[in-house]
Each structure stands twice: as structure tokens, then as C-alpha cells.
Amino acid sequence: MSKVVLNNVNKIFGNGFHAVKNLNLSIDSQEFVVLVGPSGCGKTTILRMIAGLEKITEGELYIDDKLMNNIEAKDRDIAMVFQNYALYPHMSVYDNMAFGLKMRKVNKKEIYNKVTETAKSLGIDDLLTRKPHELSGGQRQRVALGRAIVRNPRIFLMDEPLSNLDAKLRVQMRAEIVKLYHKLNTTFIYVTHDQTEAMTMGTKIVVMNEGVVQQVADPQTIYDKPANVFVASTIGNPQMNFIDARVAKEEGGIYLRFGTFKVKMSADVSELLLKSGYIDKEVIMGIRPENIMLDQENKREALSLKLELMENLGSENILYFEIMDSSLVVKAEPKYRGAIGSYMNLYFDVDKIHIFDKETKEAVI
């Protein structure tokens, strides 16, 4: 149960690549923090600096208020689970799980008790005599997790541990890791590029891009109130729709105009746009696919758009329309079906519209 604090941390590699830029991050004890972002954004480098596998170029790393910059990896009491499992191929499952304890000179009886108890909890107690090549991908991942668990570390670091598994097994292992987190009551720091893993597993999400933290918040806040266009496009599946628009003050209120269409803003949003000086300015309007409704009976003022494509997922349909030379994606109930090429009436939930500054890409609303 350990708190991790990174103050103004930078990582610059020998070739001059600035992988992590001025990172300030506080991870409380017993939090499950997920670092999410595209490949090369610096999330694995952060994990390796916490583990002691990479030297920090500038800044300080504290674990439980103790400066760790010059503490060797073996002395940090941290367990790391890698993407490729990193099991010893010549050792049995039992010996792989026991290896760290043997290196620490733990007595054989305690090693046996810890390994067998952990293996049973992970459902691999019948595999202890096998070698890694005799196991499936999911079984090897459980062994890697078990090897970390038996050490009873104060911090678990996980670097995309599920990326090599098939879709069904990823869902199963996601649930098992979350159960493990609640059982152990310790600090987890998890790296992934999968926004679904981030949303379903983390108590806190850190969205990264090009070595810079974009937003830190709980999953629902990240989803409901993205700090900028990058965060809004990273979290959510299908991703948020973005439409270039202009803020217009007209008789009857303040509108977002795009092409021949316009959407009237609520009184609160109108006041904010007015006070912030956005009247007659270009902005980016964001709207999530589930916040666009279909009005087949044409009972209200709506956008009429041509259906370009429909994906039937059983529990829902994903509809694709063309608007202003770009695609507009709508998530709809299965009852909403239309012929490709037909026109359908759409309206936006104005309370769920996001507005971003056209130049900075930062959220206005």
C-alpha cells in the first residue's frame, strides 16, 4: 500500500528523443491507475522509471515520501508484469513462480505455501509441474501474475499484460485482474493503449500523448468532461464526432452553425460563449454517437442526412452518415434500420454537446 509521486519528471534518451515531458503525477495508496495513449506516448517509459529499469533524466520519484531516483530496482519492492510474460522456458510453473522468493532466501516451506495458495486462487494449481511451452497464452499470463503476487509487493506495475490474448480471454483476464486488485488492496499502475481496459479497470485514468499528460481523472469524468480534442477522441467507442462550426448570435438565441444546419445552445452554454468572446468564432463541436437521436416520425426540427453504412451488432446498430464531407457516426437501438442511401432525421442532445477551441483544441464546454 504505497503512494507514488512524480515531480517534474523528464526522460530524454541518448539519441535525444524526449519521451516524457515535465510529468507531475500523484498516485495514492491502493489506487488502480491506468496510463492510456497511443504507442510511443511515454506510458511504458513512465512504468519503467517507477520500476527502476530506466534512469530519470530530470525530476524526482518518491514512493512513500522516500526519494527513489538512485534506489536499485531490486530494492524498490515492486513487481512488474510484462507484455510478453517473460517466463523462464526451462523452469516449471512452480519454479517460475517461486524464483523471486528463492532469490530473497525465503525458506522452502513458506515458498511452497505462497506458490500453491496463489496458484489455486488463479486456477493454475494443476499446472505447477508444466513448462511454459505446454501452456496456453492465458495460462502463461496467469503464471506471470502469480509470480508477481507471491512476492506481495507494495506496488504492481503491468505493461499491456493482455495485448497478446484473444478477445474473449482479454475480457476474462480483465475481470480477474480487477478481482485481484480488490483482494490485495495495494497500488496498481497499468499501461494500455485500449480505452476499454482503461475505462473498465481504473479508478483513475492518465491520458498521455507525445510524452505529455493530457488529463488525469476518474473514468466517468474523463468520458463526460474531456479536457481537449485528443482526450475526447481517445476515450469512447465509437469515438466522439467532431464538426467544424461557427458560434452565431441570432434572433432567438445563440447557435452553432455548420454548413446549412444549426443547433441552438442552452441558456447556460449561451451565456458562457458570450462571456468568453466566442460569438462569430470558429469552434469544434463534439457529440458522442449515443447522444445523436433518430426521429423517424419527424416530430421536431431535425437534420436530414443520407445513410451511408450500417453495422448491425445485435444489441445496437452503428449508423454512418455524411455531413460536410466528413462522417457522422450514430449509435442506435436495433429497431432503427434504414436502407443505404435513404435519408433519416437526426437531432442532437444539446446538453451533451462539447465545444472545443479551434486553435488550442482545449475544451470550452
Side-chain angles (χ1 to χ4, degrees):
M1 297 187 292
S2 296
K3 182 175 182 178
V4 179
V5 177
L6 299 104
N7 290 332
N8 298 312
V9 168
N10 287 267
K11 177 60 183 181
I12 303 172
F13 287 99
N15 61 3
F17 177 64
H18 202 162
V20 178
K21 303 169 184 175
N22 301 318
L23 173 67
N24 288 283
L25 180 63
S26 179
I27 299 171
D28 290 333
S29 178
Q30 300 184 31
E31 276 196 305
F32 195 126
V33 173
V34 179
L35 305 178
V36 64
S39 297
C41 71
K43 54 190 187 294
T44 294
T45 302
I46 293 171
L47 211 66
R48 290 175 62 83
M49 287 191 290
I50 294 172
L53 302 177
E54 293 284 357
K55 289 289 185 182
I56 294 173
T57 306
E58 297 174 357
E60 298 95 30
L61 165 67
Y62 293 91
I63 298 178
D64 287 338
D65 299 322
K66 181 179 179 181
L67 184 63
M68 305 299 290
N69 290 46
N70 297 316
I71 304 296
E72 294 294 326
K74 63 183 178 63
D75 299 320
R76 297 190 182 192
D77 193 16
I78 289 173
M80 189 162 178
V81 180
F82 297 90
Q83 178 180 348
N84 61 0
Y85 317 133
L87 301 178
Y88 297 106
H90 63 289
M91 291 185 183
S92 66
V93 168
Y94 180 93
D95 289 333
N96 264 285
M97 292 176 64
F99 183 77
L101 299 178
K102 290 178 180 178
M103 295 298 290
R104 293 184 172 195
K105 310 296 185 185
V106 177
N107 70 71
K108 289 184 178 181
K109 184 177 180 181
E110 186 178 351
I111 291 175
Y112 175 82
N113 289 338
K114 283 190 172 184
V115 171
T116 53
E117 180 184 349
T118 301
K120 187 175 182 179
S121 70
L122 291 172
I124 55 173
D125 50 315
D126 59 337
L127 306 176
L128 292 175
T129 60
R130 295 192 190 181
K131 299 288 180 62
H133 73 271
E134 300 175 294
L135 306 177
S136 68
Q139 290 168 336
R140 287 197 293 269
Q141 188 58 273
R142 286 184 175 90
V143 176
L145 283 170
R147 182 176 57 188
I149 294 167
V150 296
R151 290 179 50 193
N152 193 28
R154 54 181 175 172
I155 300 171
F156 279 92
L157 305 179
M158 297 189 175
D159 186 12
E160 301 201 45
L162 309 184
S163 60
N164 292 332
L165 305 181
D166 61 52
K168 182 179 179 180
L169 196 52
R170 277 202 305 272
V171 173
Q172 180 183 342
M173 288 301 297
R174 268 205 323 256
E176 290 192 14
I177 290 174
V178 172
K179 288 178 185 177
L180 179 65
Y181 161 67
H182 288 295
K183 179 181 178 181
L184 298 178
N185 289 322
T186 190
T187 306
F188 276 60
I189 307 174
Y190 188 102
V191 160
T192 183
H193 63 271
D194 186 329
Q195 62 94 20
T196 301
E197 286 183 18
M199 288 292 292
T200 57
M201 299 177 75
T203 59
K204 179 190 288 182
I205 295 177
V206 181
V207 183
M208 300 281 303
N209 187 36
E210 296 181 351
V212 178
V213 171
Q214 303 296 309
Q215 189 172 2
V216 181
D218 64 273
Q220 199 61 52
T221 298
I222 291 279
Y223 190 83
D224 291 338
K225 299 177 181 179
N228 54 42
V229 169
F230 179 83
V231 175
S233 63
T234 299
I235 302 297
N237 185 29
Q239 77 165 36
M240 184 182 288
N241 295 290
F242 299 103
I243 302 170
D244 289 337
R246 182 176 62 85
V247 181
K249 185 178 181 181
E250 301 177 5
E251 184 178 352
I254 291 178
Y255 295 81
L256 289 185
R257 277 197 164 275
F258 45 101
T260 59
F261 306 113
K262 65 179 181 179
V263 178
K264 185 179 180 179
M265 296 292 94
S266 67
D268 290 344
V269 171
S270 296
E271 184 179 358
L272 193 152
L273 291 170
L274 188 63
K275 288 183 177 179
S276 302
Y278 275 93
I279 303 302
D280 293 327
K281 284 190 175 182
E282 299 292 321
V283 295
I284 299 171
M285 179 177 69
I287 183 79
R288 293 200 181 278
E290 62 269 28
N291 298 138
I292 303 174
M293 318 303 176
L294 296 176
D295 184 10
Q296 291 186 320
E297 297 179 5
N298 198 24
K299 291 181 178 178
R300 68 193 80 196
E301 183 179 351
L303 312 179
S304 181
L305 296 177
K306 185 169 72 172
L307 180 63
E308 302 289 339
L309 176 67
M310 182 178 74
E311 296 175 343
N312 182 3
L313 302 181
S315 61
E316 61 190 13
N317 289 331
I318 308 298
L319 311 177
Y320 295 83
F321 300 88
E322 186 175 310
I323 182 169
M324 297 173 60
D325 297 324
S326 62
S327 183
L328 185 75
V329 183
V330 178
K331 187 183 289 187
E333 295 179 17
K335 66 179 180 179
Y336 290 108
R337 294 176 178 273
I340 303 301
S342 65
Y343 281 81
M344 303 181 76
N345 296 318
L346 314 175
Y347 65 96
F348 295 169
D349 183 344
V350 295
D351 293 328
K352 298 295 178 67
I353 287 176
H354 301 259
I355 302 175
F356 304 92
D357 187 280
K358 187 70 176 289
E359 295 182 2
T360 67
K361 305 297 190 291
E362 297 294 315
V364 178
I365 304 297

